[in-house]
Amino acid sequence: FSAALVGYLLRTRSGYTSLPTAVEKVYGPVAMLGFGIMLFYRLWNEVWSNTAVVASFYSEEVWTPSWWASAWVSAIIPAAYVMMGGMRSSLVSDVLQAGLGV
């Protein structure tokens, strides 16, 4: 919730269109590069851990062809959803699901 509030305040009070834009304007391009690398690392870990957990639901043994198939399917479906509706739609649906306790 606090990250959403900071993002909202950055947009409405400071006029930044995104967090990366704010980082670059305040701290410079090197900080923007570091921010991008850290964000990529964080997202990579999030996607991989979620994929591994979901794949384990559908395969009893890891690293088998069925495990990899379920891992790919569990990664491709959310990626397609985000690409079709954009990241904003994904975040909105996540907030709604969190509110519903799903």
Side-chain angles (χ1 to χ4, degrees):
F1 175 74
S2 62
L5 181 60
V6 169
Y8 175 77
L9 293 175
L10 281 172
R11 280 184 187 270
T12 58
R13 293 194 180 163
S14 301
Y16 294 115
T17 56
S18 67
L19 185 55
T21 304
V23 169
E24 185 173 21
K25 286 211 181 217
V26 174
Y27 300 106
V30 175
M32 175 56 208
L33 179 64
F35 179 75
I37 290 169
M38 288 185 295
L39 185 62
F40 177 77
Y41 177 76
R42 172 69 177 98
L43 290 174
W44 179 265
N45 282 331
E46 183 73 22
V47 169
W48 176 247
S49 63
N50 289 343
T51 299
V53 168
V54 171
S56 297
F57 290 153
Y58 298 103
S59 178
E60 292 182 18
E61 294 183 30
V62 296
W63 313 116
T64 62
S66 63
W67 187 87
W68 279 107
S70 59
W72 276 102
V73 169
S74 68
I76 289 172
I77 290 173
Y81 171 75
V82 168
M83 284 188 261
M84 290 171 41
M87 185 57 91
R88 181 172 288 181
S89 68
S90 177
L91 293 172
V92 168
S93 68
D94 287 350
V95 170
L96 292 173
Q97 289 175 355
L100 294 172
V102 175

